[in-house]
Amino acid sequence: MKKPLYDEAYKRKTVQYVKENGKSVAEVARELKIKDNTLYGWMKKFGGEPEIVEAQAFKSEDHQLREMQKRIRDLQEENEILKKAMHFFAKDRR
C-alpha cells in the first residue's frame, strides 16, 4: 500500500487546527484519517512555529474573554437579585 503524501501547508494547517480547537491529536487524526504517529510527528516539527504558537495564544485569550464576560453577566444577575431582596425586606419593616 502506498503511503499518502501531504504538502507542508496541509501539515501546518492540521497542526494549527489541533492547537486552535483543543482537540486531542488522536481525535483529529481519526477525523482526518491520518495515523496518530504521523500527526504527532507534525506536531513536533511544526508546533513551535511562531504563527502556530500565536494562534494558540489568541485562542486562549478568546477563551479568557468569554469566561470574563460570563462572570460579569453572572455578577450582574446576582446584583439584581440582591437589589430585589433588599427592596422586599425594606418594605416589611414599615
Side-chain angles (χ1 to χ4, degrees), residues 17-19 21-31 36 39-40 43:
Y17 176 75
V18 171
K19 297 231 180 193
N21 291 313
K23 294 182 180 181
S24 70
V25 173
E27 188 176 358
V28 173
R30 279 191 301 273
E31 284 178 15
D36 294 6
L39 188 48
Y40 278 114
M43 293 294 292

Side-chain angles (χ1 to χ4, degrees), residues 39-51:
L39 188 48
Y40 278 114
W42 296 353
M43 293 294 292
K44 186 175 180 180
K45 184 175 180 181
F46 301 111
E49 291 186 351
E51 60 273 1

Side-chain angles (χ1 to χ4, degrees), residues 76-88:
Q76 287 171 335
E77 185 178 329
E78 288 175 18
N79 282 339
E80 291 300 317
I81 292 168
L82 290 172
K83 284 178 187 178
K84 289 176 184 177
M86 180 183 71
H87 289 294
F88 176 78

Side-chain angles (χ1 to χ4, degrees), residues 36-78:
D36 294 6
N37 290 338
T38 301
L39 188 48
Y40 278 114
W42 296 353
M43 293 294 292
K44 186 175 180 180
K45 184 175 180 181
F46 301 111
E49 291 186 351
E51 60 273 1
I52 292 175
V53 171
E54 182 179 316
Q56 185 178 11
F58 184 70
K59 177 201 164 248
S60 65
E61 289 172 5
D62 282 347
H63 179 72
Q64 285 177 337
L65 178 62
R66 283 191 301 274
E67 289 293 319
M68 284 188 241
Q69 288 172 336
K70 181 182 183 301
R71 180 72 177 139
I72 289 170
R73 283 191 305 273
D74 291 345
L75 290 171
Q76 287 171 335
E77 185 178 329
E78 288 175 18

